[in-house]
Amino acid sequence: MTVDEILLGIGLTVALAVGSQILASRLRIPALVVLLPAGFAAGAVTEAVHPDKLVGPAFSPLVSLSVALILYDAGLGLDLRHLKGAVRSVVVRLIVLGVLLTAGTVMALGPTLFGMPFAVASMIGVILVVSGPTVVGPLLDHVRPLDKVRRVLLWEGSLMDPVGGILGAVVFHSLVTGGFRTGHGFRSASFFAGIAVGLVGGAVGAALLWLTLRLLRLGETLGTLAQLATVVVVAAGCDMVFDDTGLIAAIVTGLTVANLPGFDMPARRPFFETLVQLIIGLLFISISATVTPKSVVPVLLPTLALVAVLVLVVRPLVALLSTARTDLAARERAFIGWMAPRGIVAASTATTFSASLITAGLRGADKILPVTFLVIVGTVVVYALTARPVAARLGVARPSRGRPLLVGGDPWVIDLARSLRTAGLDVLMWAGLAQERNRITEAGIELAAGELMAVATDPKARLEEVTSVFLLTDDDDFNALASIVMRDSIDGPVYRVGPPPGGRGVVAPYAAGDTLFGPDLLRHALVARHEQGARFRAQPASVPCPPGGRPLFVVRRDGRLEPVAETWPVTAAEGDTLVLLGPASATGAGPTT
């Protein structure tokens, strides 16, 4: 390829990867639903997006190292404190039974459905046992299930990937050396040797990061570079010793760093989050582009039958057996049985091993990649379209109704909390001073625990029940600093009341974040208007706003809370509720609905 063709291919791949994820976010669907068909279409209609031509033989090792970075990032998000009791038992069973039943089913059906040798069916079987955080995580973010279900599925997906990668490498080596064709079969010694290599690599990676992050005390920039270099070097070294052991090394390194006292990794890592999102997009676009329509057509109908068996029979059976005699409720067990999408590790191992097996002359090896691709597409589409309604029907999805946390105990803040509660929201408040906490309790509003702010600043803690935070204290610097810190502790937005102009605070004028209500309703203006008799009130959006009233919040009919901020106007629809600041003359009216 010429230089211009390479530049065009790289630019188009990046544009499709990012554009697909932006489109998916706007459509409120998992990104993979857009990425997979976008990459497949790009590979079919253009010659530019073909990774085998753009990077040549380097494509396979680049995929492996990229997946290692993804798994390292996933490992950083796994807290061993949550892997206990029923969760640990269920995760172990899901991995063991998932491998046995999924691989066994594909091996049994493969020769009949696809007319392929048992050896090729065994390769596809071990490839399809994986799931992975790259696909499970976005689906769970889309569904928002109960915490216990979320932990089980995230742990299963994160741990199943390296296990599946090692199984794929072992079966691949058995095929290349003629093991399955000469009767030697699966080589368990190679499997455990591969795990040992990965564990050693993970220990080396953790030691290197302890040296760089703990002893040398590198800053954020150099510390991030040290993490990237460590994961790449350790994963590459392990893969040189034994294929795909770098995946185990990466996730073990991430797990160790996240759970060993002394590292204190932040809950959110903006650079890593951005890098992982870009890698996921690039990998799915690139791998999908390698699948041609000509290779898909002959295996389309048999693969749809295989997807049906995996979704309707194998996964529910695995979940039923794995969750038996645990404290998981029947509805939680049912949802776990309806969540097993395949992701990037299945695609990467299929891409890596199929090319080598085709070159080795193994009959039917050319069907490995298209079958895997179609299973990924089929499972992702099925679960992406059905997971939310299934979760809602089973009652395992967290309600969409907002639960705002109001931080502050001034009279106007308590008045605002009353109005939000009148609008149907489950309001939580926190304040530091004893008199403010007493005032909140006397108002009949739920008071958060006294150690809430300490929990919020813990990098491993999450305020999972809180959907938004409003920082409304009379200390503008506290509001500004807390708006930065608390973004790492909740899954929703953090807002702060605007500081008075010309204030002498050190932080407030410069801190980023969403500021409430606009420049004419800063903190001092709100306090003054409330002292003069203005009150907050809730009313249906269909009722005209009283003269002098100012809409501050919209409570949607489904319970979502949308505040007025400086950057966007508020619009209400039929069935919504407005929370507004009324004029002083409306004091006697009180909150209404």
Side-chain angles (χ1 to χ4, degrees):
M1 300 183 71
T2 65
V3 173
D4 288 344
E5 290 173 333
I6 293 175
L7 292 174
L8 174 63
I10 294 175
L12 186 56
T13 302
V14 173
L16 286 172
V18 176
S20 297
Q21 295 183 75
I22 294 175
L23 176 61
S25 69
R26 295 298 182 186
L27 297 177
R28 297 183 180 274
I29 60 176
L32 273 70
V33 177
V34 182
L35 285 167
L36 291 171
F40 179 73
V45 302
T46 179
E47 293 294 325
V49 184
H50 282 278
D52 52 340
K53 297 179 180 178
L54 290 173
V55 295
F59 178 58
S60 179
L62 285 176
V63 169
S64 180
L65 295 178
S66 298
V67 174
L69 286 171
I70 294 173
L71 291 182
Y72 169 75
D73 184 71
L76 290 177
L78 297 176
D79 191 343
L80 288 174
R81 293 177 297 181
H82 296 154
L83 187 64
K84 58 184 179 180
V87 173
R88 178 173 57 197
S89 175
V90 171
V91 169
V92 172
R93 294 182 195 176
L94 285 172
I95 293 174
V96 175
L97 294 176
V99 168
L100 294 176
L101 293 180
T102 303
T105 299
V106 177
M107 292 178 190
L109 296 179
T112 302
L113 288 176
F114 304 103
M116 60 178 55
F118 175 78
V120 176
S122 65
M123 186 76 255
I124 297 177
V126 295
I127 287 174
L128 294 181
V129 302
V130 301
S131 179
T134 60
V135 59
V136 173
L139 284 176
L140 294 179
D141 291 339
H142 182 64
V143 176
R144 299 180 72 246
L146 299 176
D147 293 339
K148 186 179 292 186
V149 174
R150 181 183 180 87
R151 292 187 195 120
V152 167
L153 293 172
L154 281 178
W155 273 100
E156 179 202 9
S158 298
L159 297 180
M160 184 70 91
D161 271 1
V163 172
I166 290 297
L167 284 172
V170 171
V171 172
F172 170 74
H173 285 293
S174 298
L175 293 176
V176 170
T177 58
F180 276 90
R181 287 172 284 183
T182 58
H184 295 293
F186 183 78
R187 301 182 176 187
S188 58
S190 297
F191 173 70
F192 291 110
I195 292 179
V197 171
L199 292 176
V200 171
V204 172
L208 289 174
L209 290 181
W210 179 269
L211 172 65
T212 55
L213 301 181
R214 182 65 176 171
L215 297 183
L216 299 182
R217 298 185 180 275
L218 298 180
E220 181 178 351
T221 301
L222 290 178
T224 300
L225 290 176
Q227 292 177 72
L228 282 172
T230 298
V231 175
V232 170
V233 169
V234 170
C238 290
D239 283 345
M240 291 172 63
V241 177
F242 196 104
D243 288 340
D244 276 359
T245 52
L247 303 184
I248 290 182
I251 198 166
V252 168
T253 302
L255 275 169
T256 305
V257 169
N259 292 277
L260 193 65
F263 276 106
D264 294 331
M265 298 293 289
R268 289 184 178 175
R269 303 159 298 278
F271 178 79
F272 262 104
E273 291 176 356
T274 303
L275 178 65
V276 167
Q277 284 297 110
L278 179 60
I279 288 175
I280 291 172
L282 294 176
L283 288 182
F284 273 109
I285 291 293
S286 300
I287 292 174
S288 300
T290 64
V291 182
T292 64
K294 183 180 178 180
S295 66
V296 166
V297 172
V299 299
L300 178 58
L301 293 179
T303 305
L304 292 179
L306 178 61
V307 170
V309 172
L310 293 175
V311 171
L312 300 176
V313 179
V314 175
R315 178 61 181 188
L317 180 59
V318 170
L320 177 65
L321 297 176
S322 300
T323 57
R325 298 182 180 179
T326 65
D327 61 355
L328 290 172
R331 57 197 177 99
E332 296 172 329
R333 298 172 65 190
F335 185 74
I336 291 173
W338 192 254
M339 184 60 64
R342 273 61 179 179
I344 194 62
V345 173
S348 63
T349 52
T351 302
T352 301
F353 298 141
S354 63
S356 299
L357 293 176
I358 292 173
T359 303
L362 182 62
R363 183 175 65 87
D366 57 332
K367 296 180 180 179
I368 294 176
L369 183 57
V371 169
T372 303
F373 173 78
L374 289 174
V375 170
I376 293 173
V377 173
T379 56
V380 167
V381 170
V382 167
Y383 293 123
L385 297 180
T386 63
R388 175 174 281 183
V390 167
R393 185 67 178 269
L394 293 173
V396 299
R398 284 186 288 176
S400 59
R401 182 167 294 276
R403 190 171 196 246
L405 169 63
L406 274 60
V407 180
D410 288 341
W412 73 271
V413 180
I414 296 177
D415 185 29
L416 174 61
R418 285 198 190 101
S419 296
L420 292 174
R421 190 175 59 177
T422 301
L425 297 180
D426 181 16
V427 180
L428 181 69
M429 293 191 69
W430 182 88
L433 299 178
Q435 61 182 17
E436 294 178 337
R437 298 173 69 82
N438 292 335
R439 194 181 297 154
I440 293 170
T441 303
E442 292 172 359
I445 300 171
E446 182 180 356
L447 181 65
E451 65 274 10
L452 174 67
M453 296 305 291
V455 173
T457 55
D458 182 353
K460 295 181 181 178
R462 303 288 289 176
L463 300 177
E464 294 180 336
E465 295 182 356
V466 174
T467 58
S468 55
V469 174
F470 299 90
L471 298 160
L472 309 173
T473 74
D474 59 1
D475 188 334
D476 298 314
D477 279 337
F478 172 84
N479 294 338
L481 287 171
S483 69
I484 298 172
V485 174
M486 295 191 72
R487 289 180 186 276
D488 291 340
S489 303
I490 69 165
D491 291 323
V494 177
Y495 303 91
R496 63 187 178 109
V497 66
R504 297 181 179 273
V506 176
V507 178
Y510 308 105
D514 295 318
T515 304
L516 291 168
F517 308 143
D520 59 332
L521 276 183
L522 303 177
R523 177 179 55 79
H524 70 293
L526 286 165
V527 172
R529 290 184 62 170
H530 193 268
E531 290 176 346
Q532 294 168 7
R535 292 294 182 266
F536 299 96
R537 57 184 293 171
Q539 67 177 41
S542 56
V543 176
C545 185
R550 172 70 178 273
L552 302 180
F553 297 90
V554 174
V555 180
R556 301 299 181 186
R557 72 174 79 189
D558 61 0
R560 290 179 293 113
L561 177 64
E562 297 182 5
V564 178
E566 288 183 345
T567 51
W568 63 85
V570 63
T571 56
E574 185 69 26
D576 295 341
T577 301
L578 283 179
V579 175
L580 53 88
L581 179 62
S585 59
T587 302
T592 62
T593 56

